[in-house]
Amino acid sequence: MQKIIMKENYEQGWIRMFTHLANLFFEQSKIVDEDEEGAILANLTLERTLDGQLVGKAILTWDGVEYSAEFSEIEETDDDKAITRQLKRIYSHVFLETLEQATGMHQSWGILTGIRPMKLYHKYRHEGHSTEEAQQLLMNRHRLSSEKSELLAKIANVQLRTVPDLHELKNEVSIYIGIPFCPTKCAYCTFPAYAINRKNGRVETFLDGLHEEIREMGKWLTERDMAITTIYFGGGTPTSIEAEEMDALYETMYASFPNMDKVREVTVEAGRPDTITPAKIEVLKKWGIDRISVNPQSYTDETLKAIGRHHTVQETVDKFWLSRDMGMKNINMDLIIGLPNEGMEEFKHSLAETEKMQPESLTVHTLSFKRASEMTRNKDKYKVANRETVEQMMKLGEEWNAANGYEPYYLYRQKNILGNLENVGYAKPGEESIYNIVIMEEVQTIIGVGCGASSKFIDPETGKITQFYNPKDPAAYILTYEDSIVKKLAHLDAIFPEMVK
C-alpha cells in the first residue's frame, strides 16, 4: 500500500477523489495525515489572480525528489456546483501530473475516473462546441490523450448516425429483463448469476414473479401509451432456462408491452454457448428475435477452464454457426483482454478465430478485478498481463476491428480495470446495438425487471437520475417483487406526472 500525506485537511469526497487518482498508479493507496516512512508528501495550493484566473499548484515529494505542476482556468461564477467541479478538476489536474512525473506512468484517460467519458464529450457538444473544440477541452481540462479524445469523437459520430434522435428519447423508455441463471459462474463475474438448479422450484417460482413484473409494467406503459425504444434480456444467461420457459416469457412480453411493432430492437444474451440449442433458437425465431450474443471471451481452452466457463472453444464455434445457419442475423461476440495467463499471442489467436466468423459486432472488454468476484478474492491465484501488454492488446484489437470493417460505437470504463483502459463495442455499420448506446449515455429511463435488474429513472425535465435495484438473489426476489413493482411505479409516476391517469 502506498501512503500519501496531504498537508491540508480535505472532506471525505475530496479524499475519495485523490485516492481514485492515486490508485491509477499504485495497486492500492491511502491518504493519511501523519508522516510515515516511504510515504509521498503532497502539497496542493490554489491562488486567485487579478485577471480572474484560478491557479492550482502541486508539489509532490517522494524519496527525497520533488515534482511540481501548475494548471489554471478562468474562475467559474455560475453556481456552487460548477465552482466545486472546477476546483476538483484543477486539483486533480496538478495532482495527476506530479504522480505521472514521479512514476513515469502516463494516464491516457487523464483525470477521468468515472465509467462514462462519452457523456462528457456529448455535454461539450450540446454546449455548442465544435468537434475540435470538444476534443481540445477534453485534452486541456481533463488531460486526455489525443487518441482517446479522437476515439470519443468517432464514437459520437457513429452513435448519432445510428440513433439520430438519441437526445430526444427522454419521453420513451427501454426495458431490461434480468434472468439470474448460468450453467456456472465465471471467476471474474459479479453480475446476478447463479448456477441454475431445478431443486425446490426456484427457477419456476422466479419466473412466476418475472411474468407478473412484466405484466404490471406493461399495464402502466399501455395506459399511458408510452413508447418503448429497446428491450434487452440479460443476466446471468437468459438462454439458461428451457425453450418452453423462454417461449412463455416472450408471449407475456408481447401481450403486455404496448406497440411492440414499434420497438426498435429486442436483444437476448445467449452468452454461454453451452446454453444454446436448436429448440431455443426456434423460439427466438418464432418471436422475431434475431439479435443475440454468443460470447467466447477467449479461444484458448485452458483459459476457459481457469475462469470457470464449462464449455470448449469448439462449442463456441459450433453454436455460432448453428445460430447463424438457423437465421440469427445479428450476432455479437465478446472478447476479454488480460485474462489469466493470456498475452499477445493468445489474443492474436482469439482475433484470428473471430475473423473466420465475422460476427456483426464485437465487444472488446478489458479485465476488471471486481470487488465481489472470485478472481478478486483469490487474486494471487490468477496471473494476468501487465499494463504494457494490455495496452498493446487493446491497440491490436482497435487495429483488427478497423481492418475488418468494424467501427467503435460505445465505450465504458470500470473500476480496477487493467491498465486503466476501457471496454469498447465495435460493430459493422448498421448493426450497432441501440440499447448499448442509450444505457451508456443515460439519455432515457431504463426499467429493470427480474433478478438483480437495475432501474434507472431519468427525469426528462431536470436530467436527475434515480436508481432502484431489484434483489440479486432469486429467493429474495421471490419474496419482494410485489413491493418492487409498487416502488418502481411510484418512481415512474414521479418523473412522468403529466402521463399519470
Side-chain angles (χ1 to χ4, degrees), residues 364-490:
V364 179
H365 296 271
T366 306
L367 181 66
S368 172
F369 279 91
K370 299 171 184 176
R371 186 174 59 183
S373 71
E374 145 69 17
M375 195 171 286
T376 301
R377 289 195 300 269
N378 297 285
K379 206 168 184 179
D380 294 340
K381 177 180 168 184
Y382 298 94
K383 182 181 178 182
V384 298
N386 61 27
R387 184 188 185 98
E388 182 181 356
T389 301
V390 294
E391 286 177 349
Q392 291 172 353
M393 293 164 81
M394 179 61 75
K395 184 66 176 175
L396 178 63
E398 182 181 334
E399 292 170 351
W400 181 93
N401 276 285
N404 282 272
Y406 296 84
E407 297 177 311
Y409 78 96
Y410 82 104
L411 177 151
Y412 69 103
R413 305 178 69 226
Q414 293 171 284
K415 291 181 180 178
N416 303 316
I417 195 167
L418 289 182
N420 189 31
L421 290 172
E422 63 272 357
N423 306 307
V424 184
Y426 296 89
K428 303 269 187 169
E431 307 290 359
E432 301 83 3
S433 165
I434 298 171
Y435 176 83
N436 284 339
I437 295 172
V438 298
I439 192 171
M440 287 304 161
E441 306 320 321
E442 297 181 319
V443 293
Q444 67 172 186
T445 289
I446 308 286
I447 302 174
V449 299
C451 228
S454 168
S455 294
K456 191 169 288 189
F457 302 100
I458 301 180
D459 191 305
E461 297 300 322
T462 66
K464 180 183 176 182
I465 298 174
T466 304
Q467 289 187 282
F468 180 86
Y469 298 91
N470 280 8
K472 288 185 176 183
D473 180 73
Y477 171 83
I478 290 162
L479 293 173
T480 62
Y481 73 85
E482 291 175 325
D483 185 52
S484 295
I485 291 170
V486 171
K487 290 178 178 177
K488 280 185 285 195
L489 293 179

Side-chain angles (χ1 to χ4, degrees), residues 253-430:
M253 173 181 73
Y254 269 84
S256 302
F257 291 153
N259 306 313
M260 281 296 296
D261 58 323
K262 295 180 181 178
V263 174
R264 303 187 197 189
E265 173 187 281
V266 180
T267 302
V268 174
E269 282 191 3
R272 288 289 292 263
D274 40 345
T275 67
I276 299 172
T277 66
K280 293 177 185 179
I281 297 175
E282 289 292 354
V283 170
L284 293 170
K285 289 170 62 180
K286 172 184 174 181
W287 294 101
I289 300 169
D290 64 3
R291 176 183 285 273
I292 65 170
S293 295
V294 181
N295 295 335
Q297 315 298 27
S298 167
Y299 283 88
T300 301
D301 280 322
E302 291 78 7
T303 301
L304 296 178
K305 185 176 180 181
I307 62 176
R309 288 179 78 87
H310 290 189
H311 63 84
T312 64
V313 168
Q314 189 58 49
E315 189 167 10
T316 299
V317 174
D318 292 344
K319 294 304 177 66
F320 174 88
W321 288 116
L322 173 69
S323 301
R324 174 70 86 224
D325 293 343
M326 290 187 66
M328 295 295 106
K329 296 177 181 178
N330 192 317
I331 301 177
N332 174 75
M333 303 189 95
D334 286 359
L335 293 177
I336 302 178
I337 63 176
L339 286 171
N341 303 312
E342 289 207 346
M344 284 293 287
E345 288 308 309
E346 289 79 10
F347 189 54
K348 285 179 182 177
H349 174 65
S350 289
L351 291 173
E353 291 300 308
T354 305
E355 192 163 344
K356 297 174 185 176
M357 288 173 274
Q358 293 289 317
E360 281 65 35
S361 58
L362 177 71
T363 307
V364 179
H365 296 271
T366 306
L367 181 66
S368 172
F369 279 91
K370 299 171 184 176
R371 186 174 59 183
S373 71
E374 145 69 17
M375 195 171 286
T376 301
R377 289 195 300 269
N378 297 285
K379 206 168 184 179
D380 294 340
K381 177 180 168 184
Y382 298 94
K383 182 181 178 182
V384 298
N386 61 27
R387 184 188 185 98
E388 182 181 356
T389 301
V390 294
E391 286 177 349
Q392 291 172 353
M393 293 164 81
M394 179 61 75
K395 184 66 176 175
L396 178 63
E398 182 181 334
E399 292 170 351
W400 181 93
N401 276 285
N404 282 272
Y406 296 84
E407 297 177 311
Y409 78 96
Y410 82 104
L411 177 151
Y412 69 103
R413 305 178 69 226
Q414 293 171 284
K415 291 181 180 178
N416 303 316
I417 195 167
L418 289 182
N420 189 31
L421 290 172
E422 63 272 357
N423 306 307
V424 184
Y426 296 89
K428 303 269 187 169

Side-chain angles (χ1 to χ4, degrees), residues 161-185:
R161 183 190 71 203
T162 304
V163 195
D165 57 345
L166 179 63
H167 300 291
E168 282 76 57
L169 294 176
K170 58 187 179 181
N171 289 313
E172 297 185 11
V173 300
S174 282
I175 311 290
Y176 175 86
I177 301 174
I179 312 290
F181 304 111
C182 275
T184 58
K185 186 157 185 171

Side-chain angles (χ1 to χ4, degrees), residues 81-99:
K81 287 185 178 179
I83 293 168
T84 299
R85 281 196 301 269
Q86 183 180 40
L87 292 176
K88 286 187 174 183
R89 186 167 62 242
I90 292 172
Y91 275 102
S92 295
H93 201 287
V94 294
F95 184 54
L96 185 88
E97 185 176 342
T98 54
L99 285 171

